Amino acid sequence: EAQVTQNPRYLITVTGKKLTVTCSQNMNHEYMSWYRQDPGLGLRQIYYSMNVEVTDKGDVPEGYKVSRKEKRNFPLILESPSPNQTSLYFCASTRTGENTEAFFGQGTRLTVV
Amino acid sequence: AQSVAQPEDQVNVAEGNPLTVKCTYSVSGNPYLFWYVQYPNRGLQFLLKYITGDNLVKGSYGFEAEFNKSQTSFHLKKPSALVSDSALYFCAVRDFSGGYNKLIFGAGTRLAVHP
């Protein structure tokens, strides 16, 4: 089954404690991205990757890092989380092409206290 | 800059009645438009897309959307709503600026279907 898998689904952490949210896709997609969802703001792109070892900032990259060492994996790293990063996070993957839809993971609800 | 607006935070409709969730867009060039649905505690699921061709696009779960270029709208519709359609709906447009493509989302509309 084609899917994007995120872990963990829920996470409560304290300010400043480094964390990683993993994302893996089994569709051999080139393009992967991370979004955060906040009430009234929809989804906003944090980082994206066009292929292995190619990553770039999205609209709200501050406080986040990513890596793309393998095509299937695209982890999101918060080196020093702060309460304003409390949000619902989604990983997405897309086959390269103008008319292709994105596939989303189940989401990770992060709370930073 | 590309943008999407969903003017209604919430739409309420009785089961069996037709439903419409509104979306307007602003893009330079041809629009590539998408609708996604988010059920509670679930990720976003793709419903349908407009790329080119017929202005009426049919998608999953009996949903359809009407592309209107003159009104720059892409409203989501269903002839007969079900309680199980209650969810959060997002309209999105593909943004090709900067040499890469990403989705720009509206703020979302919560659909509540009452028995």
Side-chain angles (χ1 to χ4, degrees), chain B residues 16-31:
Chain B
N17 283 2
L19 70 87
T20 298
V21 183
K22 295 180 180 177
C23 172
T24 59
Y25 65 89
S26 174
V27 302
S28 53
N30 294 323

Side-chain angles (χ1 to χ4, degrees), chain B residues 1-2 9 12-14 16 30-31 35-36 42 44 52 55 67 75 83 86 100-101 109-110 113:
Chain B
Q2 327 283 46
D9 292 336
N12 297 296
V13 64
N30 294 323
W35 275 102
Y36 285 85
R42 302 279 294 278
L44 275 74
T52 187
N55 289 343
F67 172 70
H75 300 332
V83 173
S86 299
Y100 66 97
N101 73 79
T109 299
R110 189 164 298 281
V113 182

Side-chain angles (χ1 to χ4, degrees), chain A residues 55-97:
Chain A
T55 64
D56 209 345
K57 298 176 180 178
D59 296 320
V60 288
E62 293 77 21
Y64 304 96
K65 285 177 57 177
V66 293
S67 69
R68 188 93 181 271
K69 293 183 170 56
E70 306 165 283
K71 197 171 188 178
R72 64 182 292 127
N73 296 324
F74 190 46
L76 179 70
I77 304 156
L78 285 72
E79 297 219 324
S80 183
S82 62
N84 65 11
Q85 293 179 296
T86 293
S87 187
L88 179 58
Y89 291 87
F90 287 103
C91 179
S93 77
T94 314
R95 180 170 50 86
T96 301

Side-chain angles (χ1 to χ4, degrees), chain A residues 31 59 98-102, chain B residues 32 36 41 49 94 101-102:
Chain A
Y31 188 86
D59 296 320
E98 296 178 338
N99 63 348
T100 54
E101 63 271 22
Chain B
Y32 291 71
Y36 285 85
N41 298 315
K49 63 185 176 185
R94 177 145 280 156
N101 73 79
K102 70 176 180 182

